[in-house]
Amino acid sequence: MEKKRILTGDRTTGRLHLGHYVGSLENRVRLQDEYDTFILLADIQALTTHFEKPDLVKESIYEVALDNLSVGLNPEKVTFVQQSQITAIAELTVFYSMLVSVNTLRHNPTIKTEIAQYGYDDITYGFLGYPVSQTADITFCNADLVPVGEDQVPHLELSRKIVRRFNALYTPDEAIIKEPQALLSSVPRLIGLDGNSKMGKSLGNAIYLTDSPDTVTMKIKSAITDANRISINDKGNPDICVVHMYHRVFNLDQQENISEMCRSAKIGCVACKKALSTQINILLEPIIEKRAYYTSNHQRVKEIINTGSEKANRIGNQMMGEIKSRMRLKI
Ligand code: TRP
């Protein structure tokens, strides 16, 4: 039986962090054997918010590819795709844009949150429409499943609606585009070092996959703890402590013990943070090592992206032939 296809991706607006690692990268590594995996380097979607920073977006195409490679995605198995190189994505985005109302896009909860978060007072047509372009990302290669976090669910719902509409209109006898399904991550979102509900590139509260052991230690030293615990003799409350939430994710074996010691004031914040830094550095060490290998083989990384994109274009062009014919665009 043929493997089912997965497509997922990252916007190329900067390096990825531990939030991405626990929320999606780790899962991708686990899924790569079972599924035919496509990893999209979403440089066009990056432009929807970073169109004034073309150099950053370009640099990030490499960095995000390196992030994915360094955590263990195997370039022999997975296909890396540079979004802007795929003509089918551009074409499908235009075709799909006829099937979505502006109101639907404006009421998308994720778009609304992002507008508030970035403080936009004037949003662009491109930004408002990125869920449409994302539908093209997913369907140009007829992906079955899309591993994503909670915030992407409204987008996936829209994608399914667009596909349903497309098929009903142009291919009523036999659907040619699959309705993609979300594959939700089971891990709750990682909060930021500052206690913000989200670890984010633009929020300055992240630990990056490239952070050295010293940087990790320093960042964790600055993390928010239980504000009521002022002296080492005070009993702490791990339930409201950022550091403890990280222990629960990165230090499964010791987290219960540490929690008890915190509640009974047997461990102070300094030692607790040190134990966490150690665990995170153990996790990051092989990732940093693998990255160093790829960083010193720049040409190889470029080749991985280019060969993957060529393969994706072959698949996309074939799909577009069929789609244009069904849309009666072939004279
Ligand atoms: N919007 C996704 C994010 O911010 C990135 C992305 C772009 C994506 N295209 C995609 C994810 C297609 C899944 C499928 O994380």
Side-chain angles (χ1 to χ4, degrees), residues 10 26 39 79 187 202 220-221 229 252 277 296 311:
D10 308 292
E26 204 180 11
I39 306 284
T79 307
V187 187
S202 52
I220 290 175
K221 261 189 193 159
R229 190 174 186 198
L252 276 181
S277 307
S296 62
K311 175 178 158 191

PDB file of all heavy atoms in Angstrom, residues 10 26 39 79 187 202 220-221 229 252 277 296 311:
ATOM      1  N   ASP A  10       6.982  25.639   7.794  1.00  0.00           N
ATOM      2  CA  ASP A  10       7.306  26.741   8.694  1.00  0.00           C
ATOM      3  C   ASP A  10       7.509  28.004   7.869  1.00  0.00           C
ATOM      4  O   ASP A  10       8.099  27.958   6.788  1.00  0.00           O
ATOM      5  CB  ASP A  10       8.618  26.442   9.438  1.00  0.00           C
ATOM      6  CG  ASP A  10       8.599  25.079  10.099  1.00  0.00           C
ATOM      7  OD1 ASP A  10       7.845  24.901  11.051  1.00  0.00           O
ATOM      8  OD2 ASP A  10       9.340  24.176   9.636  1.00  0.00           O
ATOM      9  N   GLU A  26       9.570  17.515  16.697  1.00  0.00           N
ATOM     10  CA  GLU A  26       9.769  16.188  17.273  1.00  0.00           C
ATOM     11  C   GLU A  26       8.800  15.182  16.644  1.00  0.00           C
ATOM     12  O   GLU A  26       9.162  14.046  16.334  1.00  0.00           O
ATOM     13  CB  GLU A  26       9.492  16.312  18.784  1.00  0.00           C
ATOM     14  CG  GLU A  26      10.158  15.277  19.614  1.00  0.00           C
ATOM     15  CD  GLU A  26       9.828  15.476  21.103  1.00  0.00           C
ATOM     16  OE1 GLU A  26       8.921  16.277  21.444  1.00  0.00           O
ATOM     17  OE2 GLU A  26      10.487  14.831  21.916  1.00  0.00           O
ATOM     18  N   ILE A  39       8.180  18.869   3.636  1.00  0.00           N
ATOM     19  CA  ILE A  39       8.393  19.986   4.553  1.00  0.00           C
ATOM     20  C   ILE A  39       8.488  21.270   3.728  1.00  0.00           C
ATOM     21  O   ILE A  39       9.391  21.416   2.897  1.00  0.00           O
ATOM     22  CB  ILE A  39       9.723  19.830   5.343  1.00  0.00           C
ATOM     23  CG1 ILE A  39       9.787  18.485   6.061  1.00  0.00           C
ATOM     24  CG2 ILE A  39       9.922  21.015   6.305  1.00  0.00           C
ATOM     25  CD1 ILE A  39       8.951  18.372   7.290  1.00  0.00           C
ATOM     26  N   THR A  79      10.899  15.310   1.654  1.00  0.00           N
ATOM     27  CA  THR A  79      11.081  16.245   0.550  1.00  0.00           C
ATOM     28  C   THR A  79      10.996  17.671   1.086  1.00  0.00           C
ATOM     29  O   THR A  79       9.971  18.060   1.646  1.00  0.00           O
ATOM     30  CB  THR A  79       9.975  16.018  -0.506  1.00  0.00           C
ATOM     31  OG1 THR A  79       9.965  14.632  -0.852  1.00  0.00           O
ATOM     32  CG2 THR A  79      10.203  16.850  -1.742  1.00  0.00           C
ATOM     33  N   VAL A 187       0.834  17.690  22.298  1.00  0.00           N
ATOM     34  CA  VAL A 187       1.577  18.418  23.326  1.00  0.00           C
ATOM     35  C   VAL A 187       1.016  19.832  23.466  1.00  0.00           C
ATOM     36  O   VAL A 187       0.856  20.541  22.475  1.00  0.00           O
ATOM     37  CB  VAL A 187       3.067  18.508  22.926  1.00  0.00           C
ATOM     38  CG1 VAL A 187       3.902  19.103  24.047  1.00  0.00           C
ATOM     39  CG2 VAL A 187       3.598  17.146  22.542  1.00  0.00           C
ATOM     40  N   SER A 202       9.011  36.534  17.716  1.00  0.00           N
ATOM     41  CA  SER A 202       8.972  37.988  17.790  1.00  0.00           C
ATOM     42  C   SER A 202       8.782  38.484  19.218  1.00  0.00           C
ATOM     43  O   SER A 202       8.740  39.676  19.459  1.00  0.00           O
ATOM     44  CB  SER A 202       7.849  38.501  16.897  1.00  0.00           C
ATOM     45  OG  SER A 202       6.657  37.827  17.240  1.00  0.00           O
ATOM     46  N   ILE A 220      17.520  30.691  31.126  1.00  0.00           N
ATOM     47  CA  ILE A 220      16.683  30.054  32.150  1.00  0.00           C
ATOM     48  C   ILE A 220      16.829  30.781  33.484  1.00  0.00           C
ATOM     49  O   ILE A 220      15.870  30.894  34.246  1.00  0.00           O
ATOM     50  CB  ILE A 220      16.976  28.545  32.226  1.00  0.00           C
ATOM     51  CG1 ILE A 220      16.436  27.912  30.950  1.00  0.00           C
ATOM     52  CG2 ILE A 220      16.353  27.904  33.464  1.00  0.00           C
ATOM     53  CD1 ILE A 220      16.727  26.475  30.768  1.00  0.00           C
ATOM     54  N   LYS A 221      18.017  31.307  33.718  1.00  0.00           N
ATOM     55  CA  LYS A 221      18.202  32.106  34.947  1.00  0.00           C
ATOM     56  C   LYS A 221      17.214  33.265  35.001  1.00  0.00           C
ATOM     57  O   LYS A 221      16.768  33.674  36.064  1.00  0.00           O
ATOM     58  CB  LYS A 221      19.628  32.682  34.978  1.00  0.00           C
ATOM     59  CG  LYS A 221      20.565  31.868  35.844  1.00  0.00           C
ATOM     60  CD  LYS A 221      21.888  32.588  36.020  1.00  0.00           C
ATOM     61  CE  LYS A 221      22.908  31.634  36.597  1.00  0.00           C
ATOM     62  NZ  LYS A 221      24.286  32.072  36.345  1.00  0.00           N
ATOM     63  N   ARG A 229       7.506  33.540  45.989  1.00  0.00           N
ATOM     64  CA  ARG A 229       8.626  32.876  46.655  1.00  0.00           C
ATOM     65  C   ARG A 229       9.820  33.818  46.626  1.00  0.00           C
ATOM     66  O   ARG A 229      10.553  33.912  45.638  1.00  0.00           O
ATOM     67  CB  ARG A 229       8.957  31.565  45.930  1.00  0.00           C
ATOM     68  CG  ARG A 229       9.927  30.742  46.726  1.00  0.00           C
ATOM     69  CD  ARG A 229      10.173  29.372  46.131  1.00  0.00           C
ATOM     70  NE  ARG A 229      11.010  28.630  47.080  1.00  0.00           N
ATOM     71  CZ  ARG A 229      11.695  27.563  46.783  1.00  0.00           C
ATOM     72  NH1 ARG A 229      11.663  27.070  45.555  1.00  0.00           N
ATOM     73  NH2 ARG A 229      12.435  26.975  47.699  1.00  0.00           N
ATOM     74  N   LEU A 252      11.135  14.904  32.509  1.00  0.00           N
ATOM     75  CA  LEU A 252      10.063  14.027  32.987  1.00  0.00           C
ATOM     76  C   LEU A 252      10.442  13.200  34.210  1.00  0.00           C
ATOM     77  O   LEU A 252       9.668  13.061  35.151  1.00  0.00           O
ATOM     78  CB  LEU A 252       9.651  13.071  31.858  1.00  0.00           C
ATOM     79  CG  LEU A 252       8.645  13.620  30.868  1.00  0.00           C
ATOM     80  CD1 LEU A 252       8.307  12.572  29.815  1.00  0.00           C
ATOM     81  CD2 LEU A 252       7.377  14.066  31.596  1.00  0.00           C
ATOM     82  N   SER A 277      18.373  23.601  33.035  1.00  0.00           N
ATOM     83  CA  SER A 277      19.347  23.947  31.986  1.00  0.00           C
ATOM     84  C   SER A 277      20.110  22.702  31.559  1.00  0.00           C
ATOM     85  O   SER A 277      20.340  22.484  30.360  1.00  0.00           O
ATOM     86  CB  SER A 277      20.362  24.969  32.481  1.00  0.00           C
ATOM     87  OG  SER A 277      19.704  26.073  33.018  1.00  0.00           O
ATOM     88  N   SER A 296      28.465  23.321   7.678  1.00  0.00           N
ATOM     89  CA  SER A 296      29.741  23.312   6.958  1.00  0.00           C
ATOM     90  C   SER A 296      29.576  22.686   5.572  1.00  0.00           C
ATOM     91  O   SER A 296      30.525  22.587   4.805  1.00  0.00           O
ATOM     92  CB  SER A 296      30.818  22.590   7.775  1.00  0.00           C
ATOM     93  OG  SER A 296      30.426  21.264   7.967  1.00  0.00           O
ATOM     94  N   LYS A 311      11.295  18.169  -7.530  1.00  0.00           N
ATOM     95  CA  LYS A 311      10.353  17.043  -7.438  1.00  0.00           C
ATOM     96  C   LYS A 311       8.935  17.564  -7.204  1.00  0.00           C
ATOM     97  O   LYS A 311       7.978  17.115  -7.851  1.00  0.00           O
ATOM     98  CB  LYS A 311      10.779  16.121  -6.291  1.00  0.00           C
ATOM     99  CG  LYS A 311       9.825  14.991  -6.014  1.00  0.00           C
ATOM    100  CD  LYS A 311      10.351  14.110  -4.886  1.00  0.00           C
ATOM    101  CE  LYS A 311       9.224  13.327  -4.226  1.00  0.00           C
ATOM    102  NZ  LYS A 311       9.674  12.673  -2.986  1.00  0.00           N
TER     103      LYS A 311
END
